[in-house]
Amino acid sequence: MINITYLPANDPFHAVFRMFVLFPVPETTSCSYESARILDFYVCFPVLISEFKCPRPLVKLHNALKRKYIPNTYQVTPKPAVLFNRMRAAQTAAVGSLQSYGFIEPKAFREGTIFRTKRELPDRVSATVEEHRKEHAELIMFLGELKTYSAYGPNGLRARSELEEYRYDDV
């Protein structure tokens, strides 16, 4: 018997969609590529936000998200760090495509930063992105607040998410 399963985490096209969810329109804020990868992970797996060690100013919103995204006891997933590591190829392909099509600033990306250009999304894509953003408004607001945090160091997103090693970060 052959089983075919689809996992959005491994799909570069879905990763492009998730990046548009995180960066829908030109913003004045930028985000490091490493931070964007971690935030993308939580767009893909919002139920795992409960394992995130939240900064104190965002605890109230984090608790609301933990109540909203309840894990399914029948769904078996690998450890979050394994999932995150497997997503790297799709995320890299997605960001490369976004850069080549002019949705991400190439110079900023070479410096390790995601900065959205002024290029508009096609209408159908924009409508789908906005629908997803409205459906998951609290999560998007929480992740938007996390964009301001560094990815590195003991209080960075890598440490708080425990998705990657952080102890040897050059801070």
Side-chain angles (χ1 to χ4, degrees):
M1 174 148 90
I2 296 175
N3 290 326
I4 298 176
T5 57
Y6 170 77
L7 187 61
N10 299 330
D11 182 1
F13 296 109
H14 198 271
V16 166
F17 172 76
R18 294 190 309 264
M19 286 295 170
F20 284 145
V21 167
L22 286 170
F23 303 97
V25 293
E27 298 178 353
T28 57
T29 60
S30 61
C31 179
S32 76
Y33 176 60
E34 288 301 316
S35 295
R37 287 189 61 233
I38 293 168
L39 301 177
D40 173 62
F41 176 81
Y42 291 113
V43 172
C44 193
F45 299 104
V47 71
L48 296 176
I49 201 77
S50 63
E51 297 178 22
F52 184 82
K53 294 176 183 164
C54 182
R56 187 172 292 296
L58 302 175
V59 168
K60 188 174 181 179
L61 184 55
H62 186 249
N63 288 338
L65 289 172
K66 288 195 293 189
R67 286 189 298 274
K68 181 176 182 179
Y69 297 105
I70 300 169
N72 182 346
T73 56
Y74 297 106
Q75 183 178 7
V76 178
T77 58
K79 292 186 179 211
V82 172
L83 280 173
F84 182 70
N85 191 32
R86 290 179 185 169
M87 289 175 71
R88 182 182 299 272
Q91 290 171 328
T92 303
V95 171
S97 294
L98 291 172
Q99 178 187 351
S100 68
Y101 281 99
F103 289 106
I104 292 176
E105 184 65 45
K107 183 179 178 188
F109 182 66
R110 283 191 295 274
E111 296 171 0
T113 303
I114 302 289
F115 190 80
R116 182 83 158 72
T117 63
K118 294 181 180 179
R119 183 165 183 193
E120 294 293 324
L121 298 176
D123 291 338
R124 286 181 60 192
V125 175
S126 181
T128 307
V129 166
E130 284 307 311
E131 180 181 325
H132 187 84
R133 288 177 63 84
K134 286 178 186 172
E135 187 176 314
H136 301 280
E138 297 91 0
L139 177 66
I140 300 304
M141 184 187 330
F142 180 73
L143 296 177
E145 293 292 327
L146 291 179
K147 282 182 189 178
T148 61
Y149 286 81
S150 171
Y152 304 103
N155 289 321
L157 296 180
R158 291 164 42 125
R160 291 180 180 283
S161 65
E162 296 182 348
L163 295 174
E164 285 189 308
E165 180 58 53
Y166 66 92
R167 290 180 290 176
Y168 306 108
D169 286 350
D170 186 22
V171 182

